[in-house]
Amino acid sequence: YEITNEQWCKIMGGECSYEDKKLPKGNLSYIDCLKFIDSLNVRTDKTFRLPTEAQWEYAAKGGINDKKLFIFSGSNNIDEVAWYNDTIPHPVGTKRPNMLELYDMSGNVSEWCFTPFRPYDPNVLVPDSTSMVIRGGYFESEHYELTVYHRDMMKPDEKSEYVGLRLVIGKE
């Protein structure tokens, strides 16, 4: 699942309204995500981190369980798996998961990756060499922004209500 407001508040402090607890935490910079991860790692004595772009895409495509490549994470029918073309985020895990039981990899909020943004074409100049990859699309996205291939970028200190995070855990 994407990290929820409730999970964020438990680790970082603050109050969450009852209505917002199960919504994905948005309005996060990459730097905010790293602070959350540091706090979580200290509290749990585990090693959480952001996924790399390759890990994110592998997971969105269903990993080794993927017998059929879907356009969106878990389906070719966007309405089964994604919140999009909407005005608000929705509680996490309320659409169908993909083959790895991962929810909301298409839509709801975009997610930071632990990968600097570089164009696939080496001849294309990067407008800002500090930008990081974000994946997944968000609740106001058009359908093409929710595919398992679509990628975007943001500067590490930028925030957007449309961007949150999902974590992976390292081997102990």
Side-chain angles (χ1 to χ4, degrees):
Y1 299 96
E2 296 162 322
I3 296 297
T4 64
N5 285 321
E6 180 177 34
Q7 291 166 323
W8 183 271
C9 290
K10 283 183 178 178
I11 298 301
M12 301 304 283
E15 292 294 318
C16 292
S17 71
Y18 176 78
E19 298 82 24
D20 294 342
K21 282 185 176 185
K22 299 301 178 198
L23 295 179
K25 176 65 178 161
N27 202 34
L28 296 175
S29 71
Y30 181 81
I31 295 165
D32 294 335
C33 294
L34 296 181
K35 289 176 184 175
F36 175 81
I37 291 167
D38 286 344
S39 294
L40 182 62
N41 288 343
V42 167
R43 289 181 122 196
T44 63
D45 201 29
K46 296 195 183 294
T47 307
F48 291 94
R49 60 180 176 75
L50 293 172
T52 65
E53 181 179 20
Q55 289 169 327
W56 189 98
E57 188 170 315
Y58 179 82
K61 289 178 178 178
I64 58 173
N65 295 328
D66 188 8
K67 304 292 185 228
K68 176 183 177 188
L69 184 59
F70 293 115
I71 298 168
F72 309 104
S73 184
S75 180
N76 287 325
N77 180 346
I78 193 171
D79 293 319
E80 292 179 349
V81 294
W83 294 109
Y84 69 104
N85 233 2
D86 206 340
T87 57
I88 57 170
H90 293 270
V92 301
T94 52
K95 291 282 188 169
R96 196 175 91 192
N98 72 5
M99 292 67 62
L100 294 176
E101 296 294 312
L102 299 173
Y103 291 82
D104 301 313
M105 296 213 56
S106 293
N108 227 3
V109 294
S110 296
E111 301 165 9
W112 286 102
C113 292
F114 188 67
T115 304
F117 183 87
R118 300 295 178 262
Y120 291 136
D121 181 346
N123 297 317
V124 174
L125 294 176
V126 178
D128 181 342
S129 63
T130 66
S131 291
M132 302 300 286
V133 172
I134 57 173
R135 297 292 297 260
Y138 57 94
F139 57 90
E140 285 185 358
S141 290
E142 297 294 326
H143 70 282
Y144 72 89
E145 297 172 293
L146 303 175
T147 68
V148 294
Y149 306 106
H150 185 78
R151 60 201 296 260
D152 215 334
M153 66 180 182
M154 277 180 65
K155 294 178 186 177
D157 60 346
E158 286 183 314
K159 292 185 181 193
S160 169
E161 67 180 294
Y162 309 118
V163 181
L165 74 156
R166 169 183 311 269
L167 300 177
V168 296
I169 187 165
K171 293 182 179 179
E172 297 298 324

